[in-house]
Amino acid sequence: MKEAPGSGYGTGGFCCTLFAMPSMTTSKVSRWDQHGREHVVHVQKAGVQRQLSCDTCGWGRKVQFLPWLKAEEHLAEEHQATVDPSVP
């Protein structure tokens, strides 16, 4: 079998294999407490896993389902932050 130039087979060509890395996307859930302080939990997504991390206390957790709900629960339970800044 004769090799086509640049085909990646044999010694005359080269081959490069690209692996698709899961793209990392980030969002956040923010709530205010009764003193007007903002508390933020960042949600990072890579594949099916989401990593939650709290700016205020450093809490972190890996979750697969309902990450924004778990972030809201953390903010309410640990920081008493329940006021949504996006709601007028």
Side-chain angles (χ1 to χ4, degrees):
M1 178 164 109
K2 187 161 170 121
E3 151 188 351
S7 67
Y9 297 105
T11 58
F14 65 92
C15 179
C16 175
T17 304
L18 298 177
F19 295 98
M21 295 294 291
S23 63
M24 180 77 74
T25 58
T26 305
S27 60
K28 70 177 184 175
V29 176
S30 61
R31 296 291 182 267
W32 293 338
D33 64 16
Q34 63 269 23
H35 303 291
R37 293 181 294 226
E38 183 180 32
H39 299 271
V40 177
V41 172
H42 293 277
V43 180
Q44 292 183 319
K45 177 185 174 227
V48 296
Q49 284 287 337
R50 275 120 173 124
Q51 173 70 38
L52 306 179
S53 58
C54 180
D55 281 355
T56 304
C57 68
W59 170 84
R61 184 173 176 189
K62 288 185 179 180
V63 298
Q64 190 169 353
F65 301 107
L66 303 172
W68 296 275
L69 178 61
K70 290 183 177 16
E72 288 176 5
E73 288 174 350
H74 170 76
L75 292 172
E77 293 169 6
E78 299 300 322
H79 305 293
Q80 292 74 47
T82 57
V83 179
D84 187 345
S86 65
V87 176

